[in-house]
Amino acid sequence: MNTHDQPATDTRLRGPAVWALVLTGVASFMAALDNLVVTTALPAIREDLGGALEDLEWTVNAYTLTFAVLLMFGSALGDRFGRRKLFVTGLGVFTAASAAAALSPGIDALIAARAVQGVGAAIMMPLTLTLLTAAVPAARRGMALGIYGAVTGLAVASGPLIGGSLTEHISWQWIFWLNVPIGLALIPLARLRLAESTAPNARLDLPGTLLISGGLFGIVYALVNANSDGWTSTPVLTGLILGGALVAGFVHHGSGNPNAMLPMRLFRDRGFLGINLASLLMFLGMFGSIFLLSQFLQGAAGYSPTEAGLRMLPWTGMPMIVAPIAGILSDRIGGRPVVATGLAFQALGLGWFAMVLAPDVSYAAQLPALILSGIGMALYFAPASNVLMSTVAPADQGRASGANAALRELGGALGVAVLASVFAAQGGYQSARTFTDGTVPALWIGACAVAVAALLALLLPGRAAQRRKALGPVGGSGAAATPERIKVPAN
């Protein structure tokens, strides 16, 4: 009887898993894309809406700040009130704010809409990974999360290309209008096709939420404003000191409170600690380097935004080719060697850039670095999500997803701030030579950060331990042994 039942069960699971992959992948693409898509549109926005340089900076920073500081809270809301329900809510907020940004009559209205966009993304983004993990059987999770990782990685890297193309050939408003029909299509499909789930005995941790939100706001605010205000300015130092104190308070709160939104006991798992530190350093090196290299192609090499994006395609397009293969490979040999290899390739690619970069460097000389970086990014993104989820019990997956996403955002902000500060200290925008002089040492720092991440990947669990954690305990006590409440959507 069981022999005949098993194939039918496997077939039935394919439909919900595919729908979950499509819906969460597209939503994740939109949220990740908005991290960078605005940067190439800033000159057109300034020409149309006016505003000082600080106003233009806030059109980027308003999204980054709200996204980073509310990720943990969005994940906690999903655990408590229903992940599908909050995913749909976040998607609706993000879509409405995108329309408001496109219709903005002035720069202040655009900044406000961007902040609300970040709120929607913070609710939606961490829940995509949890919903997908719950819908896909453990044996197929590596391949599914590999595709998900490829989509997310492509969005992060292709933002300048998409933003530049839309701005150059249509108008800057279309970088926001693009989200509206996609969001309107995803909302009803998510309600119909995604299963509802909650974490058992989930509670909102309001003190922890205030501590981590205030702490991350202070730190990220200081990082993104350090270049304009100066590292020793009062606002930056205040943000770093108060933010650091609040984060320390959050760590203390999570160490002794069993209902904390992020229990510090999770970091006692070497795999959870390793993948989170590696993710932070990966985004520090990658995000900061892409920020400078995209400008190098435009400012020093003289390409238009669209032309610069096209020349980055060996880097940005590689995840679509390599990541699904890497996901399958991680199922067979484990995520640790794939993640470590990917980070090593990314570090080698950034180091190659630093060695060959010159005002008159040919595109052929850059091509090996682009390919190495693209392969490395794909090998990292593909199994990283699966490795993260395999280090925690099912009841903690929402918390783990939110923490990892917040650390990646923090790593990206840190990368742009640190590498841009090195660039400003060693060079500048005066000429192609000064731009190169500033970019090269910054790239070496980015390469070193990713190389350290590759070493931290050695802390990740092996294949056997990863599989045991993914399947969950058979019995026992505590949250890990309590099954999640899942409602399968009606056909």
Side-chain angles (χ1 to χ4, degrees), residues 9 23 135 424:
T9 301
L23 294 174

Side-chain angles (χ1 to χ4, degrees), residues 178-227:
L178 182 67
N179 296 327
V180 175
I182 299 175
L184 292 176
L186 289 181
I187 290 172
L189 287 173
R191 291 180 60 86
L192 290 172
R193 297 296 182 178
L194 293 178
E196 182 63 282
S197 66
T198 57
N201 304 317
R203 299 178 182 177
L204 287 180
D205 178 15
L206 292 180
T209 299
L210 293 174
L211 285 170
I212 194 62
S213 297
L216 288 181
F217 178 84
I219 293 172
V220 175
Y221 175 89
L223 292 175
V224 298
N225 286 280
N227 288 319

Side-chain angles (χ1 to χ4, degrees), residues 3-57:
T3 303
H4 295 291
D5 288 345
Q6 188 64 39
T9 301
D10 287 344
T11 301
R12 182 176 63 83
L13 288 174
R14 289 174 185 167
V18 170
W19 275 110
L21 178 59
V22 171
L23 294 174
T24 59
V26 174
S28 175
F29 184 91
M30 287 198 305
L33 186 69
D34 270 56
N35 269 318
L36 284 176
V37 73
V38 176
T39 55
T40 48
L42 289 177
I45 292 174
R46 183 179 184 181
E47 182 179 351
D48 192 14
L49 300 182
L53 176 61
E54 293 77 14
D55 297 319
L56 296 181
E57 290 177 347

Side-chain angles (χ1 to χ4, degrees), residues 36-115:
L36 284 176
V37 73
V38 176
T39 55
T40 48
L42 289 177
I45 292 174
R46 183 179 184 181
E47 182 179 351
D48 192 14
L49 300 182
L53 176 61
E54 293 77 14
D55 297 319
L56 296 181
E57 290 177 347
W58 274 109
T59 62
V60 177
N61 296 344
Y63 181 86
T64 303
L65 286 173
T66 53
F67 192 12
V69 303
L70 294 177
L71 275 168
M72 298 288 293
F73 189 53
S75 178
L77 285 174
D79 286 346
R80 174 65 179 84
F81 297 108
R83 292 161 182 157
R84 182 186 65 186
K85 182 187 299 182
L86 266 295
F87 172 76
V88 171
T89 300
L91 188 58
V93 171
F94 183 85
T95 303
S98 297
L103 294 170
S104 297
I107 194 69
D108 291 336
L110 177 60
I111 292 170
R114 288 283 289 164

Side-chain angles (χ1 to χ4, degrees), residues 203-448:
R203 299 178 182 177
L204 287 180
D205 178 15
L206 292 180
T209 299
L210 293 174
L211 285 170
I212 194 62
S213 297
L216 288 181
F217 178 84
I219 293 172
V220 175
Y221 175 89
L223 292 175
V224 298
N225 286 280
N227 288 319
S228 58
D229 294 346
W231 285 97
T232 58
S233 65
T234 300
V236 171
L237 289 178
T238 302
L240 289 174
I241 294 171
L242 290 182
L246 290 173
V247 169
F250 175 76
V251 172
H252 177 74
H253 173 75
S255 299
N257 187 344
N259 296 318
M261 64 188 301
L262 181 60
M264 291 300 113
R265 60 177 170 79
L266 296 179
F267 289 95
R268 290 197 289 267
D269 185 294
R270 64 184 177 89
F272 185 81
L273 176 65
I275 191 62
N276 278 288
L277 289 178
S279 296
L280 186 147
L281 290 173
M282 164 65 174
F283 270 69
L284 188 155
M286 182 197 72
F287 221 88
S289 298
I290 288 178
F291 174 78
L292 289 175
L293 287 171
S294 63
Q295 292 187 75
F296 174 85
L297 291 174
Q298 297 176 54
Y303 297 116
S304 71
T306 304
E307 291 171 340
L310 287 173
R311 281 161 177 78
M312 295 281 282
L313 279 179
W315 188 349
T316 61
M318 198 61 68
M320 296 301 294
I321 301 172
V322 177
I325 301 172
I328 298 172
L329 186 63
S330 70
D331 284 338
R332 295 183 179 179
I333 66 174
R336 179 170 57 192
V338 181
V339 169
T341 302
L343 292 169
F345 275 29
Q346 179 71 85
L348 288 172
L350 295 179
W352 191 302
F353 265 122
M355 287 189 295
V356 304
L357 214 62
D360 57 348
V361 63
S362 67
Y363 182 68
Q366 301 174 59
L367 194 57
L370 290 165
I371 294 173
L372 270 176
S373 298
I375 294 174
M377 184 168 64
L379 290 175
Y380 160 80
F381 275 121
S385 298
N386 197 19
V387 168
L388 171 71
M389 290 308 194
S390 71
T391 63
V392 297
D396 290 323
Q397 287 179 347
R399 295 167 173 174
S401 175
N404 185 257
L407 286 171
R408 291 199 310 264
E409 288 299 308
L410 190 61
L414 180 62
V416 171
V418 171
L419 269 62
S421 294
V422 174
F423 167 82
Q426 300 295 322
Y429 291 93
Q430 293 84 0
S431 66
R433 168 51 62 187
T434 57
F435 200 104
T436 303
D437 290 341
T439 302
V440 169
L443 290 177
W444 279 120
I445 291 178
C448 289

